[in-house]
Short mmCIF file of all heavy atoms in Angstrom, two decimals:
data_model
loop_
_atom_site.label_atom_id
_atom_site.label_comp_id
_atom_site.label_asym_id
_atom_site.label_seq_id
_atom_site.Cartn_x
_atom_site.Cartn_y
_atom_site.Cartn_z
N GLN A 112 54.78 3.57 35.70
CA GLN A 112 55.74 4.43 35.03
C GLN A 112 57.05 4.52 35.78
O GLN A 112 58.11 4.33 35.21
CB GLN A 112 55.15 5.82 34.88
CG GLN A 112 56.18 6.83 34.38
CD GLN A 112 55.50 8.14 34.01
OE1 GLN A 112 54.30 8.32 34.21
NE2 GLN A 112 56.24 9.05 33.45
N SER A 113 56.97 4.79 37.06
CA SER A 113 58.20 4.96 37.82
C SER A 113 58.46 3.74 38.68
O SER A 113 57.87 3.57 39.72
CB SER A 113 58.10 6.20 38.69
OG SER A 113 59.18 6.24 39.55
N ALA A 114 59.35 2.85 38.19
CA ALA A 114 59.67 1.66 38.95
C ALA A 114 60.28 2.03 40.28
O ALA A 114 60.03 1.41 41.31
CB ALA A 114 60.60 0.76 38.17
N ALA A 115 61.09 3.11 40.28
CA ALA A 115 61.78 3.50 41.48
C ALA A 115 60.79 3.85 42.58
O ALA A 115 61.04 3.59 43.76
CB ALA A 115 62.68 4.68 41.20
N ALA A 116 59.64 4.43 42.21
CA ALA A 116 58.67 4.81 43.21
C ALA A 116 57.74 3.65 43.56
O ALA A 116 57.03 3.70 44.55
CB ALA A 116 57.84 6.00 42.73
N SER A 117 57.73 2.61 42.75
CA SER A 117 56.78 1.54 42.97
C SER A 117 57.35 0.37 43.75
O SER A 117 56.61 -0.42 44.32
CB SER A 117 56.28 1.02 41.61
OG SER A 117 55.79 2.06 40.85
N PHE A 118 58.65 0.26 43.78
CA PHE A 118 59.26 -0.81 44.57
C PHE A 118 59.39 -0.34 46.02
O PHE A 118 59.61 0.84 46.27
CB PHE A 118 60.66 -1.15 44.05
CG PHE A 118 60.66 -2.22 42.99
CD1 PHE A 118 60.65 -1.89 41.67
CD2 PHE A 118 60.63 -3.56 43.36
CE1 PHE A 118 60.64 -2.88 40.67
CE2 PHE A 118 60.64 -4.54 42.39
CZ PHE A 118 60.64 -4.19 41.04
N ASN A 119 59.24 -1.31 46.92
CA ASN A 119 59.45 -0.99 48.33
C ASN A 119 60.96 -1.03 48.61
O ASN A 119 61.58 -2.08 48.45
CB ASN A 119 58.71 -2.04 49.17
CG ASN A 119 58.75 -1.72 50.65
OD1 ASN A 119 59.68 -1.04 51.09
ND2 ASN A 119 57.79 -2.21 51.38
N PRO A 120 61.52 0.10 49.03
CA PRO A 120 62.98 0.14 49.19
C PRO A 120 63.51 -0.77 50.28
O PRO A 120 64.70 -1.03 50.34
CB PRO A 120 63.28 1.62 49.52
CG PRO A 120 61.98 2.15 50.00
CD PRO A 120 60.90 1.39 49.34
N ALA A 121 62.62 -1.27 51.14
CA ALA A 121 63.09 -2.07 52.28
C ALA A 121 63.14 -3.57 52.00
O ALA A 121 63.55 -4.33 52.86
CB ALA A 121 62.19 -1.79 53.50
N HIS A 122 62.70 -3.97 50.81
CA HIS A 122 62.71 -5.42 50.53
C HIS A 122 63.54 -5.74 49.30
O HIS A 122 63.68 -4.93 48.39
CB HIS A 122 61.27 -5.93 50.28
CG HIS A 122 60.42 -5.84 51.49
ND1 HIS A 122 60.53 -6.72 52.55
CD2 HIS A 122 59.45 -4.96 51.83
CE1 HIS A 122 59.65 -6.39 53.47
NE2 HIS A 122 58.98 -5.33 53.08
N LYS A 123 64.10 -6.95 49.28
CA LYS A 123 64.91 -7.36 48.13
C LYS A 123 64.02 -7.54 46.91
O LYS A 123 62.82 -7.86 47.01
CB LYS A 123 65.60 -8.69 48.46
CG LYS A 123 66.68 -8.55 49.47
CD LYS A 123 67.28 -9.89 49.79
CE LYS A 123 68.35 -9.75 50.85
NZ LYS A 123 68.73 -11.03 51.43
N LEU A 124 64.66 -7.39 45.73
CA LEU A 124 63.91 -7.50 44.48
C LEU A 124 63.20 -8.87 44.39
O LEU A 124 62.02 -8.94 44.01
CB LEU A 124 64.86 -7.36 43.29
CG LEU A 124 65.44 -5.97 43.08
CD1 LEU A 124 66.34 -5.99 41.87
CD2 LEU A 124 64.36 -4.96 42.91
N ILE A 125 63.91 -9.92 44.74
CA ILE A 125 63.34 -11.26 44.52
C ILE A 125 62.06 -11.45 45.36
O ILE A 125 61.05 -11.97 44.87
CB ILE A 125 64.37 -12.36 44.84
CG1 ILE A 125 63.89 -13.74 44.40
CG2 ILE A 125 64.75 -12.41 46.30
CD1 ILE A 125 64.21 -14.07 42.98
N ASP A 126 62.08 -10.94 46.61
CA ASP A 126 60.89 -11.11 47.47
C ASP A 126 59.71 -10.36 46.88
O ASP A 126 58.57 -10.79 47.01
CB ASP A 126 61.20 -10.62 48.88
CG ASP A 126 62.23 -11.47 49.56
OD1 ASP A 126 62.27 -12.68 49.26
OD2 ASP A 126 63.02 -10.93 50.37
N GLN A 127 60.02 -9.21 46.28
CA GLN A 127 58.91 -8.44 45.70
C GLN A 127 58.44 -9.06 44.40
O GLN A 127 57.25 -8.98 44.07
CB GLN A 127 59.35 -6.99 45.48
CG GLN A 127 59.79 -6.34 46.78
CD GLN A 127 59.99 -4.85 46.66
OE1 GLN A 127 59.11 -4.13 46.22
NE2 GLN A 127 61.16 -4.38 47.04
N THR A 128 59.35 -9.68 43.68
CA THR A 128 58.98 -10.28 42.42
C THR A 128 58.04 -11.46 42.62
O THR A 128 57.07 -11.64 41.89
CB THR A 128 60.23 -10.76 41.65
OG1 THR A 128 61.19 -9.70 41.62
CG2 THR A 128 59.89 -11.20 40.26
N ILE A 129 58.30 -12.28 43.64
CA ILE A 129 57.52 -13.49 43.81
C ILE A 129 56.31 -13.31 44.72
O ILE A 129 55.51 -14.21 44.87
CB ILE A 129 58.40 -14.65 44.36
CG1 ILE A 129 58.92 -14.30 45.76
CG2 ILE A 129 59.54 -14.96 43.42
CD1 ILE A 129 59.64 -15.45 46.42
N GLU A 130 56.19 -12.09 45.30
CA GLU A 130 55.12 -11.88 46.28
C GLU A 130 53.75 -12.24 45.73
O GLU A 130 52.96 -12.92 46.40
CB GLU A 130 55.15 -10.42 46.73
CG GLU A 130 54.30 -10.17 47.96
CD GLU A 130 54.25 -8.70 48.31
OE1 GLU A 130 55.06 -7.93 47.76
OE2 GLU A 130 53.36 -8.33 49.09
N THR A 131 53.44 -11.78 44.54
CA THR A 131 52.12 -12.03 43.96
C THR A 131 51.86 -13.52 43.81
O THR A 131 50.80 -14.00 44.14
CB THR A 131 52.00 -11.39 42.56
OG1 THR A 131 53.07 -10.49 42.38
CG2 THR A 131 50.69 -10.71 42.39
N ALA A 132 52.85 -14.24 43.26
CA ALA A 132 52.70 -15.66 43.03
C ALA A 132 52.43 -16.37 44.35
O ALA A 132 51.63 -17.31 44.42
CB ALA A 132 53.93 -16.24 42.37
N LEU A 133 53.08 -15.93 45.41
CA LEU A 133 52.87 -16.56 46.73
C LEU A 133 51.51 -16.23 47.31
O LEU A 133 50.83 -17.10 47.81
CB LEU A 133 53.99 -16.15 47.70
CG LEU A 133 55.40 -16.61 47.33
CD1 LEU A 133 56.37 -16.27 48.45
CD2 LEU A 133 55.43 -18.11 47.06
N THR A 134 51.10 -14.95 47.23
CA THR A 134 49.82 -14.59 47.84
C THR A 134 48.65 -15.26 47.10
O THR A 134 47.64 -15.56 47.69
CB THR A 134 49.55 -13.07 47.84
OG1 THR A 134 50.14 -12.52 46.70
CG2 THR A 134 50.11 -12.43 49.07
#
Side-chain angles (χ1 to χ4, degrees):
Chain A
Q112 172 169 5
S113 171
S117 307
F118 271 96
N119 185 335
H122 294 285
K123 289 178 181 166
L124 291 181
I125 190 87
D126 293 329
Q127 301 191 53
T128 310
I129 63 173
E130 192 186 346
T131 346
L133 295 186
T134 34

